[in-house]
Amino acid sequence: DDVVVFRTPPLSEPVTIAGPIRVRLYGSTDAPDTDFTAKLIDEYPASEAFPSGFALNLTDSICRGRYRNYRTEPDLLDPGEVYEFELELYPTANVFTPGHRIRLDISSSNYPRYDRNHNTGGDLYGDREHAVATNTLYHEADHPTHVELPIRPE
């Protein structure tokens, strides 16, 4: 319930990527701080070995709201305001073969890979208070959430 999934239809031809991956998303929250995470996934179709298919995580990243877009000083979020969040996923190379899907998962957490955000705006590591943040992801003409893939010719 807390992951937004973007995915292609099953591919009819191979798609090769190699290099840096960037996700630009537009989001809002009701909290003074929150995280947005992104995972690029090679989604395998159902097979004898994996009857439900298989999701291979290729690369991921996180953006802590108070440090959005590479800020060095914290800048808490105003609840309800739409912000741009830029995430640089680790560079990778992959061939998405026919029948596979290119998938991007957006969430607000990827624990235990990344530390939890308490969503309070308090001290990152000493805060004992926790709050649930309700986040909204925008995907429209004025707020074009998207992924930039380094597609290579065959």
Side-chain angles (χ1 to χ4, degrees), residues 1 9 25 39 46 71 80-81 84 93 95-96 106 116 118-119 121 133 138 146 148:
D1 291 343
L25 63 87
K39 288 183 192 176
R71 295 175 185 269
E81 185 171 331
E84 178 181 15
V95 177
F96 296 91
I106 305 292
R116 294 177 300 160
H118 293 200
N119 301 318
Y138 296 85
H146 64 280
E148 298 171 18

Side-chain angles (χ1 to χ4, degrees), residues 128-140:
R128 297 213 180 271
E129 298 296 318
H130 295 263
V132 174
T134 300
N135 298 334
T136 302
L137 182 66
Y138 296 85
H139 182 60
E140 57 200 12

Side-chain angles (χ1 to χ4, degrees), residues 20-77:
I21 315 291
R22 177 170 291 141
V23 172
R24 186 161 308 186
L25 63 87
Y26 295 84
S28 64
T29 184
D30 63 355
D33 193 21
T34 193
D35 292 339
F36 283 98
T37 66
K39 288 183 192 176
L40 181 65
I41 296 168
D42 185 344
E43 188 176 299
Y44 286 62
S47 66
E48 189 174 320
F50 298 99
S52 297
F54 180 78
L56 177 65
N57 290 338
L58 298 174
T59 184
D60 63 5
S61 189
I62 187 169
C63 180
R64 181 138 294 173
R66 70 173 74 188
Y67 293 111
R68 64 197 172 279
N69 302 335
Y70 312 102
R71 295 175 185 269
T72 56
E73 296 297 320
D75 181 16
L76 296 179
L77 305 169

Side-chain angles (χ1 to χ4, degrees), residues 3 8 14 26 28 40 86 89 97-98 105 107 120 133 147 151:
V3 178
T8 65
Y26 295 84
S28 64
L40 181 65
E86 190 171 311
L89 286 65
T97 56
D105 287 359
S107 186
T120 64
V147 60
I151 296 177

Side-chain angles (χ1 to χ4, degrees), residues 8 14-21 92 94 96 102 147-154:
T8 65
V15 174
T16 301
I17 63 167
I21 315 291
T92 193
N94 188 63
F96 296 91
I102 301 171
V147 60
E148 298 171 18
L149 294 175
I151 296 177
R152 304 289 182 218
E154 282 297 310

Side-chain angles (χ1 to χ4, degrees), residues 101-114:
R101 296 172 186 255
I102 301 171
R103 187 170 110 192
L104 181 70
D105 287 359
I106 305 292
S107 186
S108 185
S109 176
N110 189 358
Y111 182 82
R113 174 134 168 81
Y114 298 105

